[in-house]
Amino acid sequence: MPDKSVHSTPVTGEERGEGKFPKGLVLRLFAYLIAGHLFAGFLYLLFMLGGQNQ
C-alpha cells in the first residue's frame, strides 16, 4: 500500500496564490509593526522625560 503522506512534487508558494503573501497577513504584519513602533516611542518618551526630572 503506498504512503499517501508523501508528495511526488514539492509544494511551493506558486500553488498558494502565485507566491504572494495573503492579504490578511500583510495587514496584520503592518499593524503590528506600527503598533510596536508607537509603543517603543512611548517608552522612549517616558524614559527621556523621567531622566530629565532627576
Side-chain angles (χ1 to χ4, degrees):
M1 205 183 240
D3 188 8
K4 293 182 180 180
S5 65
V6 177
H7 297 289
S8 60
T9 58
V11 177
T12 63
E14 294 180 3
E15 285 84 9
R16 294 179 294 147
E18 301 174 1
K20 297 179 183 178
F21 286 110
K23 188 174 183 180
L25 179 64
V26 173
L27 290 175
R28 255 183 295 155
L29 181 62
F30 184 71
Y32 289 151
L33 285 173
I34 294 298
H37 280 86
L38 287 175
F39 183 67
F42 177 69
L43 287 179
Y44 179 76
L45 181 64
L46 284 180
F47 278 98
M48 290 301 293
L49 292 175
Q52 290 177 356
N53 290 334
Q54 290 182 0

